[in-house]
Amino acid sequence: MCGILCSFALHPGDQDETYSTLIARLREANQLRGPDSNKSHLVAVGQSTPSDHLLVSFYASVLHLRGDHVVPQPHIGEGGNILCWNGEIFDGIDVAPEQNDGALLFSLLQSTDSNRVPDVLKRVEGPYAFIYYHRHSNRLFFGRDPLGRRSLLIHKPTPDLPCFILTSVSAPIVTEGHGGRFKFEEVPAENLSSLDVDNVSSLELASFDSKLQSVARSSAGSALEFVTPERINRDTPPPDHPLPWEIPSSVVDEFIDQLERSVILRVRDIPKPPMPTTSASTPPSRVAVLFSGGIDCTILAFLAHRHVPLEEPIDLLNVAFENPRSLAAQKTTKPAPKKAKGKKKIGKDAPGQDINEQEHKVSEHGDRDKGDEVPSRDGDPTYMVPDRVTGLEEVEELRRLCPGRTWNFVHIDVTYEESTRERPKIEALMYPSRTIMDLSLSLALYFASRGIGSLRPTLTAPPQPYTSPARVLLSGLGSDELLGGYARHRHAFQRAGWEGLIDELQLDLTRLPTRNLGRDDRVISSNAKETRYPFLSLSLVAHLARLPVHLKLDPRVPEGTGDKALLRLAAARLGLEGAAGRKKRAMQFGSRSARMEGGAETRRGDNVLAV
């Protein structure tokens, strides 16, 4: 993980005080992403005479997660080529454990001409954003991986701020006014981009885009697995196809194998974090899981356990917010009648259910805020939110199935005062994402990834302060989009049958780069942590996209069984019976990071925040 930044003023003398302040702030913001090394490099490019030289600044910080030593950036070659790399190569190009993948990629790029840059990058499976200057052609290449798993923002020259900027993250100055001078937007993930910097300073603003080109990731007829996400299989099932618990065992086993391989590639060869341990006999955690107790994160934790050395703890980061609105509602609402308890069965012995049974009303983003019942547990009720309850239940299942493993269940309790105090910083990090839902999700991700909380042997025991040293965080994001976990998938089936459901799944996959991933990267990485998404390996995405839809989910049966049916069967096969029956709950509602102020329940999540 790194922070990368490239900038230049379009015309000489345009570096006014505001521009200089912005660049300084952007360097500070990018340095938070990579505390192990940071440096800058200034190069004169493009023009015929020294007085007309365009001065381009490159900057990069480094979070050391690959290789046996820290490799500073930017990478600079003898011929003047420059690479700023923020990514990981997990597949496609072999990287030895002692190698730095950025340095390896730079050597491959330097060995080819500028027209073949896409041919090098199409071999890379992994999250990335990059900036590459090819000296001989005076071309600047930049882009993100096909799923947009790493952030890269662009500011194109405007009359108020005639400069060009590429940066991993924005800075607080952007949200402080300045008459709309700063217009950052996310770099599209569909293609790479190229800027011809010859004579850029002589251009008028209206002509700047003529030098900015979209570059196809691959030539026609080449392999596309790491170039673009596979499209969803449009085969529909026959009317009498089996119920979801009759999905063939071979399909379940192949899915487990594919997911486990993705986990292996993301937890192996992680350098030990540079943090002293509290006990000389206990090594520090290198891997943590963003953990709500749901099926997605639990199966990732279980598979990580198989491939992380047994003597190392794995941290389970569970965040809960003090939510004044929710707490006030609990005081005035009568307890709901207790429901009969019974474990949901997943498998061939599961009882038949009416395939026309309708689920209860749920918002598009899984909001069950009003109907959630939080079981009574010992401990501070302020933080006994739904995700805390399911997390505590599920860690017990992991402890039972994984003897010898230390699971650090980290209670991350966020006071209302603290979340309010940190909100301006978080809004700046998530920018240009600006909706109410963006904020509620970003709050949860920021505090969870920070990893500052406590360990408690029991809920009534005094908390022991603990900060997770793990720099790699596993996230279950992507499973709902790929396996049909949202209420809107069921609604699409009810409206338009299997074809409508396939259309909705395709829409989710297509818009992944623009909805979540860039924003999440900007927020989480500010804590010098790297998120890894095993469900979003392009190899696994391709495997699941090729499967007929009825082998992944079945909206004919109730929620908690038919949604993500393939994942539920996989969890049951691994012995995770509790996780296999968990219903979907959106992170912002499970952690109570949403709707903290009175009256907020009337505001739509897609409303834009006030400036």
Side-chain angles (χ1 to χ4, degrees):
M1 171 58 64
C2 305
I4 59 177
L5 171 65
C6 173
S7 64
F8 59 81
L10 192 59
H11 303 298
D14 281 338
Q15 289 118 318
D16 63 11
E17 182 178 352
T18 303
Y19 170 77
S20 300
T21 301
L22 173 61
I23 298 303
R25 295 277 189 92
L26 290 174
R27 288 192 179 192
E28 292 171 2
N30 278 285
Q31 187 174 356
L32 292 174
R33 299 167 60 92
D36 296 328
S37 170
N38 71 93
K39 72 174 186 177
S40 59
H41 183 71
L42 190 65
V43 60
V45 301
Q47 312 308 312
S48 56
T49 64
S51 61
D52 291 332
H53 279 168
L54 187 70
L55 296 178
V56 182
S57 174
F58 296 88
Y59 172 88
S61 63
V62 176
L63 181 70
H64 178 216
L65 290 175
R66 300 300 291 269
D68 56 11
H69 65 283
V70 177
V71 177
Q73 289 201 76
H75 301 280
I76 303 169
E78 292 182 0
N81 298 334
I82 300 168
L83 173 67
C84 295
W85 169 251
N86 172 29
E88 302 283 357
I89 300 177
F90 291 129
D91 204 358
I93 296 174
D94 291 332
V95 183
E98 70 278 3
Q99 282 185 301
N100 177 274
D101 55 354
L104 176 61
L105 180 68
F106 187 47
S107 68
L108 294 174
L109 288 169
Q110 290 211 98
S111 66
T112 189
D113 62 49
S114 62
N115 292 325
R116 303 301 296 273
V117 167
D119 292 329
V120 175
L121 288 161
K122 76 180 183 184
R123 298 166 54 192
V124 174
E125 155 43 23
Y128 65 79
F130 78 98
I131 304 167
Y132 177 60
Y133 173 60
H134 187 264
R135 179 76 180 190
H136 180 71
S137 64
N138 272 328
R139 293 177 72 187
L140 190 72
F141 293 88
F142 56 95
R144 305 160 68 200
D145 70 81
L147 285 174
R149 289 166 285 184
R150 290 290 177 262
S151 170
L152 190 62
L153 305 180
I154 184 172
H155 167 84
K156 299 177 185 178
T158 64
D160 281 338
L161 193 63
C163 65
F164 177 80
I165 303 173
L166 294 167
T167 177
S168 294
V169 64
S170 186
I173 192 173
V174 174
T175 62
E176 293 172 3
H178 301 292
R181 298 182 68 183
F182 310 111
K183 298 184 181 299
F184 284 103
E185 57 190 48
E186 288 189 324
V187 171
E190 291 83 2
N191 290 308
L192 305 179
S193 297
S194 169
L195 176 64
D196 182 352
V197 296
D198 273 330
N199 302 313
V200 163
S201 65
S202 65
L203 289 174
E204 296 299 324
L205 287 177
S207 305
F208 183 84
D209 280 352
S210 67
K211 295 288 184 177
L212 195 58
Q213 300 175 348
S214 178
V215 181
R217 290 182 181 275
S218 177
S219 56
S222 63
L224 298 179
E225 185 174 27
F226 300 156
V227 173
T228 186
E230 188 94 9
R231 293 192 65 80
I232 301 294
N233 185 330
R234 298 203 62 86
D235 292 344
T236 56
D240 59 347
H241 86 274
L243 291 169
W245 41 84
E246 296 175 348
I247 291 174
S249 295
S250 58
V251 174
V252 179
D253 291 340
E254 175 65 14
F255 169 60
I256 292 174
D257 289 344
Q258 292 270 354
L259 180 58
E260 183 164 18
R261 180 174 183 272
S262 183
V263 171
I264 292 171
L265 293 173
R266 284 156 178 80
V267 302
R268 70 181 185 183
D269 303 324
I270 301 171
K272 290 185 178 179
M275 175 177 285
T277 60
T278 55
S279 169
S281 60
T282 304
S285 303
R286 288 189 283 181
V287 174
V289 183
L290 296 173
F291 192 76
S292 66
I295 183 173
D296 312 326
C297 58
T298 301
I299 199 168
L300 294 184
F302 180 84
L303 294 176
H305 155 74
R306 289 179 164 184
H307 303 284
V308 171
L310 189 60
E311 66 273 12
E312 290 185 15
I314 295 177
D315 291 348
L316 306 177
L317 307 179
N318 184 274
V319 65
F321 286 79
E322 178 189 17
N323 186 312
R325 183 195 61 82
S326 180
L327 293 171
Q330 289 177 21
K331 293 179 180 178
T332 58
T333 303
K334 293 182 180 180
K338 291 185 177 180
K339 297 180 181 179
K341 292 185 177 180
K343 281 193 173 181
K344 184 183 297 294
K345 292 185 178 180
I346 303 292
K348 291 186 178 179
D349 296 329
Q353 308 211 34
D354 183 356
I355 64 174
N356 294 314
E357 181 177 339
Q358 299 293 308
E359 66 175 342
H360 62 280
K361 293 293 183 181
V362 182
S363 79
E364 181 181 1
H365 302 292
D367 179 9
R368 299 184 186 83
D369 193 65
K370 294 181 180 178
D372 273 335
E373 289 185 47
V374 179
S376 176
R377 301 285 295 262
D378 292 334
D380 186 346
T382 300
Y383 300 107
M384 199 53 67
V385 301
D387 280 359
R388 177 62 47 82
V389 174
T390 54
L392 288 168
E393 291 173 351
E394 201 51 53
V395 71
E396 293 306 315
E397 183 165 55
L398 288 172
R399 286 168 176 157
R400 176 175 58 81
L401 293 174
C402 309
R405 169 73 64 193
T406 297
W407 298 99
N408 286 332
F409 186 89
V410 187
H411 297 243
I412 300 171
D413 299 337
V414 185
T415 66
Y416 177 67
E417 186 276 332
E418 186 176 21
S419 64
T420 302
R421 184 178 66 245
E422 294 294 302
R423 175 173 167 169
K425 175 182 179 180
I426 294 168
E427 285 194 36
L429 289 168
M430 71 187 201
Y431 182 87
S433 301
R434 292 289 299 158
T435 69
I436 291 171
M437 189 176 73
D438 287 323
L439 177 61
S440 59
L441 289 168
S442 296
L443 283 166
L445 290 170
Y446 175 80
F447 286 104
S449 61
R450 196 173 64 165
I452 300 175
S454 63
L455 303 179
R456 303 175 188 181
T458 67
L459 284 179
T460 56
Q464 303 169 6
Y466 179 79
T467 299
S468 173
R471 291 177 154 195
V472 170
L473 312 182
L474 298 183
S475 167
L477 193 148
S479 69
D480 291 301
E481 289 80 1
L482 293 165
L483 293 162
Y486 291 123
R488 61 174 175 271
H489 296 137
R490 184 180 297 271
H491 298 158
F493 176 80
Q494 293 166 352
R495 289 193 309 270
W498 290 103
E499 291 83 0
L501 172 58
I502 292 169
D503 289 341
E504 194 70 20
L505 289 169
Q506 184 61 60
L507 177 62
D508 273 346
L509 184 57
T510 301
R511 64 188 179 186
L512 256 176
T514 59
R515 294 199 83 187
N516 303 87
L517 293 162
R519 176 201 66 208
D520 295 356
D521 176 68
R522 292 189 292 276
V523 171
I524 292 172
S525 297
S526 68
N527 290 313
K529 304 294 177 72
E530 176 174 283
T531 322
R532 297 181 177 177
Y533 304 100
F535 285 102
L536 293 181
S537 156
L538 282 168
S539 298
L540 180 58
V541 169
H543 171 75
L544 290 175
R546 292 168 191 151
L547 284 179
V549 64
H550 62 281
L551 297 182
K552 296 180 284 190
L553 70 153
D554 194 335
R556 302 174 304 166
V557 297
E559 182 189 16
T561 303
D563 51 310
K564 296 192 287 192
L566 179 57
L567 184 63
R568 297 183 186 282
L569 290 170
R573 181 72 55 85
L574 295 171
L576 296 165
E577 296 179 0
R582 295 253 187 257
K583 292 183 179 181
K584 167 68 181 174
R585 183 168 54 232
M587 175 173 56
Q588 68 270 35
F589 301 114
S591 67
R592 295 286 192 251
S593 65
R595 302 176 176 175
M596 292 197 191
E597 290 80 22
E601 67 272 14
T602 63
R603 303 166 69 191
R604 289 174 53 88
D606 56 2
N607 284 353
V608 176
L609 294 165
V611 177

